[in-house]
Amino acid sequence: MFATQGQLCVGIDPHSWLLRDWNLPDTAAGAESFGRAVVAAAAGRVGLVKPQVAFYERFGSAGFLALERVLADARQAGLLVIGDAKRGDLGTSVEAYAQAWLSLGSPLEVDALTLAAYMGVGSLDSPFTLATANGKGVFLLAATSNPEAAQIQRAIVADGPHSGSSVARAILDEVGQRNARAGAASVRTRTGLGSIGVVLGATLDLATFGIDVRQASGEFRTPVLAPGFGHQGGNIMDLISIYGEYAGGVIVSESRSVLSAGPHRIDEAIERRVAEVGALRG
């Protein structure tokens, strides 16, 4: 996909202020119109979109229905969808989350889902299994851009196989090991990327999280979902210096920097960012 449609992912984040700027009501119907317009603008220009589930969930059942219609449009347009839901639990509860988002034919079906591993990477075995079975992926939060996260994500693991590593590094290493063990699964053979990825913020000095980007983990590259470019201050020209050996598998996620162009110029904004990201590969 990267070879044909690039690494840019357009976020779908119907903030109240964006709905207002787009002359849409701050309602489920407004969020639906917003999301479907973003999908229409993204179709044929990028390969990925990432709806932020919270902005639909805030409207209750009507919001989820709106999101289902946005997801249906994205599937119809041939776009891959990353559901930014940041789910995390264990046992049958996390299995149910996986079934909601990663099951074939589910109204909320997406191609990949963001997950939180606060209860341990192993607590997410059910989503890993279902994602692999259905040719989908997941992204685990590892090093996030919000300053409140650093105290936990930089903390040192006390024991076990990742003893002495930061929490963020331990998550990255375990993901890399799992991708390597998955070995010859067909989706990885085609892409060279594992089906389990991580979230690493573009505004961070990853070395302070114990992450050496000169050494990618595992036989297959670990995909990276990279928020923070554009509005949050990350510079796309720094992609390779930020992510090093992981750069080829980075999904450049941009939301407000594109969406703030408004309904009549969003297509131009997407094309401009596609060109800027694509220039790094040339």
Side-chain angles (χ1 to χ4, degrees):
M1 184 203 70
F2 286 169
T4 58
Q5 294 176 296
Q7 293 174 246
L8 183 67
C9 174
V10 175
I12 303 177
D13 299 9
H15 296 266
S16 295
W17 66 268
L18 271 173
L19 292 176
R20 182 178 63 251
D21 287 353
W22 281 47
N23 292 316
L24 292 169
D26 189 17
T27 63
E32 178 183 336
S33 296
F34 179 93
R36 297 179 84 168
V38 175
V39 166
R45 295 184 170 93
V46 297
L48 292 146
V49 292
K50 182 175 71 66
Q52 169 50 260
V53 172
F55 290 113
Y56 289 90
E57 190 170 325
R58 66 194 179 109
F59 296 117
S61 59
F64 274 106
L65 180 58
L67 177 58
E68 290 172 13
R69 291 171 175 162
V70 173
L71 296 177
D73 277 8
R75 283 192 294 274
Q76 181 78 21
L79 293 165
L80 295 180
V81 180
I82 301 172
D84 197 355
K86 300 181 178 69
R87 299 303 193 225
D89 212 316
L90 72 167
T92 54
S93 297
V94 78
E95 182 178 13
Y97 282 133
Q99 290 167 347
W101 296 98
L102 300 173
S103 292
L104 301 177
S106 167
L108 292 171
E109 180 185 355
V110 294
D111 298 287
L113 180 69
T114 56
L115 297 172
Y118 188 76
M119 286 180 277
V121 174
S123 70
L124 303 173
D125 280 343
S126 292
F128 297 157
T129 299
L130 190 59
T132 298
N134 290 338
K136 298 183 179 297
V138 296
F139 289 92
L140 275 60
L141 305 180
T144 58
S145 297
N146 61 307
E148 303 90 345
Q151 186 174 5
I152 291 176
Q153 293 170 358
R154 293 177 182 171
I156 301 303
V157 177
D159 52 34
H162 302 293
S163 176
S165 295
S166 70
V167 170
R169 179 79 219 192
I171 291 173
L172 176 61
D173 284 347
E174 185 158 348
V175 165
Q177 291 161 10
R178 284 172 177 262
N179 283 331
R181 288 198 298 269
S186 60
V187 66
R188 299 172 189 79
T189 302
R190 291 196 306 271
T191 65
L193 292 172
S195 64
I196 308 174
V198 294
V199 177
L200 301 176
T203 58
L204 300 174
D205 178 358
L206 293 174
T208 67
F209 288 76
I211 295 173
D212 184 354
V213 297
R214 297 171 299 178
Q215 299 177 341
S217 299
E219 177 184 358
F220 294 93
R221 285 182 296 167
T222 292
V224 173
L225 178 60
F229 288 106
H231 180 85
Q232 295 181 48
N235 187 339
I236 194 61
M237 299 305 296
D238 297 329
L239 176 69
I240 295 174
S241 63
I242 295 170
Y243 293 105
E245 292 296 316
Y246 294 91
V250 167
I251 295 170
V252 176
S253 178
E254 295 205 21
S255 298
R256 281 171 286 181
S257 58
V258 173
L259 303 175
S260 60
H264 304 299
R265 300 190 64 184
I266 185 173
D267 52 349
E268 297 173 14
I270 292 173
E271 288 176 358
R272 182 172 61 253
R273 296 304 283 166
V274 166
E276 291 168 355
V277 174
L280 298 177
R281 300 163 54 208

Coordinates of all heavy atoms in Angstrom, one line a residue, residues 1 4-5 39-40 42-49 70-81 111:
M1 N 0.8 -1.2 0.0 CA 0.0 0.0 0.0 C 0.9 1.3 0.0 O 0.6 2.2 -0.7 CB -0.9 0.0 1.2 CG -1.9 1.2 1.2 SD -2.5 1.6 2.9 CE -1.0 2.2 3.6
T4 N 2.1 2.4 -3.4 CA 1.1 3.0 -4.3 C 0.4 4.2 -3.8 O 0.0 5.1 -4.5 CB 0.1 1.9 -4.8 OG1 -0.6 1.4 -3.6 CG2 0.8 0.8 -5.5
Q5 N 0.1 4.2 -2.5 CA -0.7 5.3 -1.9 C 0.0 6.1 -0.8 O -0.7 6.9 -0.2 CB -2.0 4.7 -1.4 CG -2.9 4.1 -2.5 CD -4.1 3.4 -2.0 OE1 -4.1 2.4 -1.3 NE2 -5.3 4.0 -2.4
V39 N -13.9 11.4 4.2 CA -13.7 10.2 3.4 C -13.7 10.5 1.9 O -12.9 10.0 1.1 CB -14.8 9.1 3.8 CG1 -14.8 8.0 2.7 CG2 -14.5 8.6 5.2
A40 N -14.7 11.3 1.5 CA -14.8 11.6 0.0 C -13.5 12.4 -0.5 O -13.1 12.1 -1.6 CB -16.0 12.5 -0.2
A42 N -10.5 12.1 0.9 CA -9.4 11.3 1.1 C -9.3 10.2 0.0 O -8.3 9.8 -0.5 CB -9.4 10.6 2.4
A43 N -10.5 9.8 -0.5 CA -10.6 8.7 -1.5 C -9.8 9.0 -2.7 O -10.0 10.1 -3.3 CB -12.0 8.4 -1.8
G44 N -8.9 8.1 -3.1 CA -8.1 8.3 -4.3 C -6.9 9.1 -4.1 O -6.1 9.3 -5.0
R45 N -6.8 9.7 -2.9 CA -5.6 10.6 -2.6 C -4.7 9.9 -1.6 O -3.5 10.1 -1.7 CB -6.1 11.9 -2.1 CG -6.8 12.8 -3.2 CD -7.1 14.2 -2.7 NE -7.6 15.0 -3.8 CZ -8.9 15.1 -4.1 NH1 -9.9 14.5 -3.3 NH2 -9.3 15.8 -5.1
V46 N -5.3 9.2 -0.6 CA -4.5 8.5 0.4 C -5.1 7.1 0.5 O -6.1 6.8 0.0 CB -4.5 9.2 1.8 CG1 -3.9 10.6 1.7 CG2 -5.9 9.3 2.3
G47 N -4.4 6.3 1.3 CA -4.9 4.9 1.5 C -5.5 4.7 2.8 O -6.1 3.6 3.0
L48 N -5.3 5.6 3.8 CA -5.7 5.4 5.1 C -6.4 6.6 5.7 O -6.1 7.7 5.4 CB -4.4 5.2 6.0 CG -3.6 3.9 5.8 CD1 -2.1 4.3 6.0 CD2 -4.1 2.8 6.7
V49 N -7.4 6.3 6.5 CA -8.1 7.3 7.4 C -8.2 6.8 8.8 O -8.1 5.5 9.0 CB -9.5 7.6 6.8 CG1 -9.4 8.4 5.5 CG2 -10.4 6.4 6.7
V70 N -19.9 6.4 8.3 CA -18.6 6.9 7.9 C -17.7 5.7 7.5 O -17.1 5.7 6.5 CB -18.0 7.7 9.0 CG1 -16.5 8.1 8.6 CG2 -18.8 9.0 9.2
L71 N -17.7 4.7 8.3 CA -16.9 3.5 8.1 C -17.4 2.8 6.8 O -16.6 2.3 6.0 CB -17.0 2.5 9.3 CG -16.4 3.0 10.6 CD1 -16.6 2.0 11.7 CD2 -15.0 3.4 10.5
A72 N -18.7 2.7 6.6 CA -19.2 2.1 5.4 C -18.8 2.8 4.2 O -18.4 2.2 3.1 CB -20.7 2.0 5.4
D73 N -18.8 4.2 4.2 CA -18.3 5.0 3.1 C -16.8 4.7 2.8 O -16.4 4.6 1.7 CB -18.4 6.5 3.4 CG -19.8 7.0 3.1 OD1 -20.7 6.2 2.8 OD2 -20.0 8.2 3.2
A74 N -16.0 4.6 3.9 CA -14.6 4.3 3.7 C -14.3 3.0 3.1 O -13.5 2.8 2.2 CB -13.9 4.4 5.1
R75 N -15.1 2.0 3.5 CA -14.9 0.6 2.9 C -15.3 0.7 1.4 O -14.6 0.1 0.5 CB -15.8 -0.4 3.6 CG -15.2 -0.9 4.9 CD -15.9 -2.1 5.4 NE -17.3 -1.8 5.8 CZ -17.7 -1.3 7.0 NH1 -16.8 -1.1 7.9 NH2 -19.0 -1.1 7.2
Q76 N -16.4 1.4 1.1 CA -16.9 1.5 -0.3 C -15.8 2.2 -1.1 O -15.6 1.9 -2.3 CB -18.2 2.3 -0.3 CG -18.8 2.5 -1.7 CD -19.5 1.3 -2.2 OE1 -19.9 0.4 -1.4 NE2 -19.7 1.2 -3.5
A77 N -15.1 3.2 -0.5 CA -14.1 3.9 -1.3 C -12.7 3.2 -1.3 O -11.8 3.7 -2.0 CB -13.8 5.3 -0.6
G78 N -12.6 2.0 -0.7 CA -11.4 1.3 -0.7 C -10.3 1.8 0.2 O -9.1 1.4 0.0
L79 N -10.7 2.6 1.2 CA -9.7 3.1 2.1 C -9.5 2.1 3.3 O -10.5 1.4 3.7 CB -10.2 4.4 2.7 CG -10.3 5.6 1.8 CD1 -11.1 6.7 2.3 CD2 -8.9 6.1 1.4
L80 N -8.3 2.0 3.8 CA -8.1 1.3 5.0 C -8.4 2.2 6.2 O -8.1 3.4 6.2 CB -6.6 0.8 5.1 CG -6.2 -0.2 4.0 CD1 -4.7 -0.6 4.2 CD2 -7.1 -1.5 4.1
V81 N -9.0 1.6 7.2 CA -9.5 2.4 8.4 C -8.8 2.0 9.7 O -8.8 0.8 10.0 CB -11.0 2.3 8.6 CG1 -11.4 3.1 9.8 CG2 -11.7 2.7 7.3
D111 N -9.9 -1.8 9.9 CA -8.8 -2.6 9.4 C -7.7 -2.7 10.5 O -6.9 -3.6 10.5 CB -8.2 -2.0 8.2 CG -9.2 -2.1 7.0 OD1 -9.5 -3.2 6.5 OD2 -9.8 -1.0 6.7

